[in-house]
Amino acid sequence: MNLLGHQRPSPEEHAQLMQELGPLPLNGMAWPKWIKVLACAVLAFIGVQIAVTAAGPVGRNVSPMVAGSIVLCFAGLVVLARYMLVSVTSITHEGIRQTWISRREVDWQDITFAKFVPLLASKRLICFTSRGRPVVFQAGTRELQIAFARIALVYRRRR
């Protein structure tokens, strides 16, 4: 039992999960291809709109502070899109990792329970730890989605 009163899976259940997951490490893109394409298309549309507005008569009347804020926000979107394009999720014998802007990793022994959330845009595994806030991982491939569902079944909330 951990501090929250949740019972972790037994070593046998964890070993069976590792066997069901197949040969590890299991690596895959964190975001589905269609989401990446959509993000790039939206980013390109926004960039074109900024350029057209800046080149037109309306652009001359925009305050430099407003223009700078818009460019800064656009740059932030470019950075987020870049991380979406290259982010990889890995399931290993040690735990789960995802490349992202900040560190996203959790070791198996730190997981108190996990929840699989199949949203339209991304399939997520939310890992709750005894050390603080939950860690969210994205699955962009079918193999990762199946693995996330299995992990959530083994690390479900128990009393």
Side-chain angles (χ1 to χ4, degrees):
M1 288 264 194
N2 61 27
L3 297 175
L4 299 174
H6 297 113
Q7 183 180 357
R8 290 190 175 121
S10 68
E12 295 80 20
E13 289 172 314
H14 180 76
Q16 183 179 355
L17 171 65
M18 294 294 109
Q19 187 177 17
E20 287 176 4
L21 293 177
L24 296 178
L26 177 59
N27 299 310
M29 297 308 293
W31 296 91
K33 288 179 185 175
W34 71 272
I35 288 293
K36 292 188 225 181
V37 169
L38 181 63
C40 289
V42 168
L43 200 58
F45 176 76
I46 292 170
V48 167
Q49 290 300 315
I50 290 172
V52 167
T53 302
V58 175
R60 290 185 213 119
N61 296 330
V62 174
S63 158
M65 293 297 283
V66 171
S69 297
I70 290 171
V71 169
L72 189 62
C73 288
F74 183 72
L77 289 174
V78 169
V79 169
L80 281 176
R82 187 236 177 240
Y83 277 99
M84 283 180 73
L85 291 174
V86 300
S87 184
V88 174
T89 302
S90 301
I91 301 172
T92 66
H93 289 287
E94 291 77 35
I96 307 169
R97 314 272 182 270
Q98 182 177 325
T99 57
W100 194 242
I101 296 169
S102 63
R103 192 180 103 178
R104 280 193 182 177
E105 59 184 26
V106 66
D107 293 333
W108 293 115
Q109 67 267 16
D110 294 334
I111 301 174
T112 56
F113 74 96
K115 183 161 180 68
F116 180 59
V117 182
L119 299 173
L120 177 65
S122 79
K123 311 302 186 224
R124 297 176 179 192
L125 180 70
I126 304 172
C127 295
F128 296 86
T129 66
S130 56
R131 290 187 291 165
R133 55 185 247 192
V135 183
V136 180
F137 300 98
Q138 271 76 247
T141 65
R142 184 98 176 118
E143 295 79 21
L144 282 173
Q145 293 170 12
I146 292 168
F148 279 8
R150 287 182 174 154
I151 292 167
L153 282 174
V154 172
Y155 283 86
R156 67 190 176 277
R157 191 181 299 237
R158 307 170 190 210
R159 296 261 176 198

